[in-house]
Amino acid sequence: MSIIFVFSTTSCSDKNVYELSTEQETPVDTLGLLGVNFYLETSASMRGYVNSNVPGNYPLKDLMPFIVTDFDNTFAIESNLYTISDKQQKYRYSKAKFFDQLRAGKVFTGKSSKLQNIFADVISATGNGTVSILITDCIPDLGKINTKTEGSKITSQLYNHLVGNKSLGVAVFKYSSNFNGTHYFNRENNNGVPQSKRPFYNQILNDRPFYIWVFGEPTLVTKVLSKNIIKTYQAAHTYNLPLQKMEVGLLKYPKSGKISITPEKNTILIKEIEAKRPATFTIGLDLKELSDLQKNQLLDSLNYEVYPKYIAETISLIIKDKNTLLLEKIKDKSVIESSSYTHFVQPTLYDFNVGTEKIYFKNFNKEAEWINDTDLEDDVDISKSDLENKTFGFQFITKAFSRAFSAENASLQLTLTKQEKR
């Protein structure tokens, strides 16, 4: 990774002048995308997401054909289709035939799938210049072993495969679908049990999750995501993906309080700040080149932390897009309208210690709340509604990724540094 620093100089004589600098991990430019491999998990449970005989919301039937076609057209490359359950197999016929078999549920094998092996196989097959896309329900399978008590085996085996692999970037997208309950398998492993004896036999379950995972060299995955080909997802998260380079700068307006801003020098002169008279300033961000997924990371104020910690409680952050900001009564809107900035971070300081040398606003790729909310601790003898938007043992998988690619470093750091009196 290369580190980009944006600095400017100042010759202000006032002692409380702070200069804004930007530190960002940005992807190193690499070769272009050479290939995309799509892997569809074809275990028995996956058939429940494309039941063509029962009316309902089954997005996988159209989602995969659209995504494959859009990738082929956007990147002008020929993608490959694979099925994967106990092992991966390249699909030998036309894509049109594959999509027909997908919609009819005929592409699914009925074999069991040990999820940790599926992930390991797909990641191992992701070579230089290629991106792999895995579509799976993420239902853990340990064969005859009780997955609830032994699920940590999935985490440890997958983690062992990931650890040290810093050249891998990952994104996961969650979708919601109807599901044909005939094919539901819980952690007691219903394989071999007559269909009429399985849980939710002949019932349609609502809002069952399935997932699209994207793997590849971080730069390539970032480029792929920036095209926003993968759409209409319910939730998403990334691991080990740098942000694309963006323009950042101070704006003269809008502001409030006893401060003065010089955008040309990226400086703020702080005259006086106290609880009764707080100060607000505006930092512009140009996020046009970022994917929707990574924009969401930067636009969520919960992903920001303020340092030093002792001043964090005296500062709040609000993030706005350009249209929202222009609705406000502000001075010189033409500057904002003509700028390249698409979004704006507005810190408000409610108190200020003139001895503070630096103030940091750090954005971290914190693990999304939906991952915790999606995880289901058990799926035996529970109601249909308790299964909605939940996947039993989902964190058996995600814990391996969050441990291998912890978000310890800030994706973006905005720093206000006190300038020496000159």
Side-chain angles (χ1 to χ4, degrees):
M1 299 295 177
S2 62
I3 305 296
I4 305 299
F5 294 92
V6 181
F7 287 107
S8 61
T9 61
T10 179
S11 59
C12 298
S13 60
D14 305 273
K15 65 178 181 179
N16 293 329
V17 173
Y18 287 79
E19 181 183 42
L20 175 71
S21 64
T22 306
E23 183 177 339
Q24 178 192 346
E25 283 192 328
T26 58
V28 177
D29 196 16
T30 62
L31 295 175
L33 183 65
L34 301 178
V36 178
N37 297 322
F38 288 88
Y39 297 85
L40 176 66
E41 185 196 346
T42 54
S43 61
S45 61
M46 285 292 292
R47 186 183 290 114
Y49 292 96
V50 293
N51 184 0
S52 58
N53 298 319
V54 180
N57 175 41
Y58 296 92
L60 180 57
K61 293 188 294 185
D62 293 318
L63 181 66
M64 188 173 182
F66 278 134
I67 290 177
V68 172
T69 302
D70 286 345
F71 265 91
D72 289 349
N73 292 334
T74 301
F75 295 101
I77 56 175
E78 185 70 16
S79 58
N80 299 305
L81 299 179
Y82 292 83
T83 59
I84 186 167
S85 52
D86 56 333
K87 61 180 179 179
Q88 59 175 279
Q89 289 185 327
K90 188 173 182 179
Y91 191 75
R92 296 179 297 167
Y93 306 106
S94 70
K95 289 178 180 176
K97 183 173 182 179
F98 182 91
F99 298 148
D100 286 342
Q101 290 187 325
L102 168 70
R103 293 185 178 101
K106 295 180 179 179
V107 73
F108 301 96
T109 63
K111 296 180 180 179
S112 62
S113 303
K114 288 184 170 55
L115 209 59
Q116 65 274 25
N117 296 340
I118 287 179
F119 275 84
D121 287 350
V122 171
I123 292 169
S124 295
T126 305
N128 293 333
T130 64
V131 166
S132 296
I133 298 176
L134 169 64
I135 302 174
T136 171
D137 56 10
C138 282
I139 294 179
D141 183 4
L142 286 174
K144 297 180 179 180
I145 301 174
N146 188 310
T147 308
K148 183 179 180 181
T149 59
E150 300 293 335
S152 60
K153 288 184 177 180
I154 297 174
T155 304
S156 61
Q157 289 178 19
L158 183 53
Y159 175 72
N160 288 338
H161 192 77
L162 294 171
V163 66
N165 190 356
K166 298 304 181 184
S167 62
L168 183 70
V170 183
V172 55
F173 301 84
K174 176 184 176 182
Y175 287 84
S176 184
S177 172
N178 286 152
F179 182 89
N180 178 1
T182 301
H183 306 288
Y184 185 82
F185 290 78
N186 62 25
R187 54 102 171 162
E188 290 184 340
N189 189 18
N190 308 117
N191 196 18
V193 176
Q195 287 192 3
S196 60
K197 302 295 184 181
R198 294 177 187 168
F200 310 110
Y201 172 72
N202 230 10
Q203 299 182 52
I204 301 301
L205 307 181
N206 299 320
D207 298 319
R208 292 291 303 141
F210 68 91
Y211 307 87
I212 295 179
W213 291 80
V214 184
F215 305 102
E217 195 274 335
T219 304
L220 289 181
V221 175
T222 301
K223 287 182 178 180
V224 164
L225 295 183
S226 71
K227 302 300 182 181
N228 294 314
I229 294 174
I230 301 176
K231 305 173 182 176
T232 66
Y233 49 86
Q234 187 179 43
H237 188 61
T238 66
Y239 301 92
N240 201 37
L241 286 190
L243 299 172
Q244 289 180 291
K245 185 179 178 181
M246 68 191 80
E247 183 182 349
V248 180
L250 275 173
L251 279 75
K252 193 174 186 66
Y253 302 104
K255 73 174 184 68
S256 65
K258 299 181 71 174
I259 60 175
S260 179
I261 298 170
T262 306
E264 298 81 8
K265 297 179 179 180
N266 260 353
T267 58
I268 303 174
L269 167 60
I270 298 177
K271 302 173 183 177
E272 181 184 357
I273 298 175
E274 55 183 9
K276 293 181 179 180
R277 203 163 187 179
T280 299
F281 58 95
T282 303
I283 302 171
L285 306 175
D286 182 358
L287 307 185
K288 287 191 292 291
E289 298 300 319
L290 269 66
S291 66
D292 291 342
L293 176 52
Q294 292 195 314
K295 282 180 187 176
N296 291 337
Q297 175 190 330
L298 285 173
L299 300 181
D300 187 348
S301 60
L302 296 178
N303 286 331
Y304 287 84
E305 293 186 10
V306 177
Y307 300 88
K309 287 291 189 180
Y310 68 83
I311 66 171
E313 293 184 358
T314 67
I315 298 177
S316 66
L317 286 178
I318 296 177
I319 302 151
K320 303 172 182 176
D321 62 27
K322 181 177 285 190
N323 291 334
T324 301
L325 190 64
L326 289 172
L327 291 175
E328 300 176 4
K329 185 178 180 180
I330 55 179
K331 195 172 182 178
D332 202 358
K333 288 186 178 182
S334 62
V335 174
I336 296 174
E337 289 174 328
S338 62
S339 76
S340 62
Y341 301 127
T342 60
H343 295 82
F344 305 85
V345 178
Q346 290 188 313
T348 297
L349 284 65
Y350 294 93
D351 197 1
F352 188 71
N353 183 339
V354 295
T356 303
E357 297 293 330
K358 289 180 182 287
I359 302 174
Y360 302 93
F361 304 97
K362 297 185 179 184
N363 180 277
F364 293 91
N365 185 27
K366 297 181 180 179
E367 186 152 88
E369 280 298 318
W370 71 264
I371 291 178
N372 294 324
D373 296 339
T374 295
D375 182 64
L376 185 64
E377 293 187 0
D378 201 350
D379 64 346
V380 173
D381 297 328
I382 64 175
S383 67
K384 288 173 58 177
S385 61
D386 288 337
L387 283 173
E388 292 181 1
N389 289 309
K390 302 280 189 179
T391 298
F392 164 65
F394 186 57
Q395 288 198 17
F396 295 149
I397 297 296
T398 57
K399 278 182 179 178
F401 285 97
S402 61
R403 183 171 180 178
F405 307 119
S406 61
E408 295 178 349
N409 298 323
S411 301
L412 175 68
Q413 178 176 301
L414 306 173
T415 307
L416 290 174
T417 303
K418 189 175 185 178
Q419 301 300 288
E420 294 182 5
K421 187 175 180 180
R422 299 180 182 179

